Amino acid sequence: MSASPFGRRTLLAETALVLLVSLGASAIWSLLRIVSLLTQGGLSGVTTTMNSSAYPDRPWLDLVHQLVGVGLGVVPALLALHLLTREDRDAPHRIGADLRRPGSDLLRGVLLTAAVGIPGLAWYLGSRALGINTTVAAADLAPVWWAVPVLVLAALQNAVLEEVVMVGYLFTRWTQAGWGRWRVIVVSAFVRGSYHLYQGFGGFVGNVVMGLLFGWLYARTRRVGPLVVAHTLLDVVAFVGYTLARDHLGWLR
């Protein structure tokens, strides 16, 4: 990892600003959401809807809305890469945000998906049964031909945004600012969990654990590629799987 010409305070201020225009802002809104739910009777029986139609009566406009959301959603990741590349043209390669090892990244990502996905589903069902998580409706798009492709794009956008910003960018900047490895891993994991609080405490804890695992793996490999693959596959299974199975599996609702 190359040294930064900027001081510690500047580096920390930069990371705070990048977070506040992206996932940090989501964390604040998620905190307000869970406070609202807890002061209105709790999380049990509440449904959290993701990937919903904005214009269900006008499919063409809804498609444009979804695609614009995907496009704008990846901008903070591009900003993070731009900030790193200003100092080091090789930064995308140094954090593994490239296509130099497609086979290895894909294989590791698939294995990581299996390792995270099955325990993650069990934790979601358990936390919902305990009343510490809302029921998550992972997708609620109108029944249109483009629903599945858009959900796949949304999964990819989430993965690129979160893994490039929360792992590749923050690990680089916070290390340059003098933070130790485990401090970076733990803080990043708790930020990851915080912007999932809108789902409930189950979503928070589950994503903190996922963040700890992803951070530990990145610290060993210095590649976000496998993390992007795994995150994309997890969200594709959640979004598309929910869409295809919700009318057949009562426990999803």
Side-chain angles (χ1 to χ4, degrees), residues 9-203:
R9 182 174 297 181
T10 299
L11 292 171
L12 294 178
E14 180 190 286
T15 59
L17 291 172
V18 169
L19 284 174
L20 285 172
V21 298
S22 58
L23 297 166
S26 298
I28 295 171
W29 291 118
S30 290
L31 179 59
L32 292 175
R33 155 91 170 157
I34 198 167
V35 168
S36 173
L37 292 176
L38 291 174
T39 54
Q40 288 181 337
L43 306 179
S44 182
V46 176
T47 297
T48 298
T49 303
M50 304 167 62
N51 300 298
S52 58
S53 293
Y55 306 98
D57 58 332
R58 287 169 287 175
W60 64 271
L61 185 57
D62 198 30
L63 174 59
V64 173
H65 177 89
Q66 301 298 331
L67 293 177
V68 169
V70 168
L72 293 178
V74 81
V75 169
L78 298 178
L79 171 62
L81 287 174
H82 169 73
L83 292 171
L84 294 179
T85 307
R86 285 185 311 164
E87 302 163 22
D88 179 7
R89 289 186 175 276
D90 258 355
H93 306 310
R94 293 187 192 280
I95 67 172
D98 55 29
L99 299 176
R100 290 185 173 183
R101 304 178 188 173
S104 173
D105 287 349
L106 180 60
L107 177 59
R108 291 181 178 182
V110 170
L111 293 175
L112 187 55
T113 301
V116 172
I118 296 173
L121 177 59
W123 171 249
Y124 163 70
L125 294 174
S127 60
R128 195 179 73 173
L130 291 171
I132 62 172
N133 209 72
T134 63
T135 297
V136 179
D140 190 29
L141 294 178
V144 289
W145 66 267
W146 47 260
V148 169
V150 162
L151 290 173
V152 172
L153 287 176
L156 178 60
Q157 176 258 304
N158 286 345
V160 171
L161 171 62
E162 293 190 40
E163 305 315 326
V164 169
V165 173
M166 294 306 305
V167 181
Y169 169 73
L170 288 182
F171 275 56
T172 300
R173 282 298 194 236
W174 285 344
T175 301
Q176 290 172 333
W179 287 19
R181 172 183 295 187
W182 279 106
R183 183 180 183 184
V184 174
I185 292 173
V186 170
V187 174
S188 174
F190 272 85
V191 174
R192 185 190 293 261
S194 68
Y195 58 77
H196 288 91
L197 269 171
Y198 69 93
Q199 299 174 8
F201 294 110

Side-chain angles (χ1 to χ4, degrees), residues 193-215:
S194 68
Y195 58 77
H196 288 91
L197 269 171
Y198 69 93
Q199 299 174 8
F201 294 110
F204 170 76
V205 173
N207 278 278
V208 168
V209 173
M210 177 175 160
L212 291 172
L213 175 60
F214 278 24

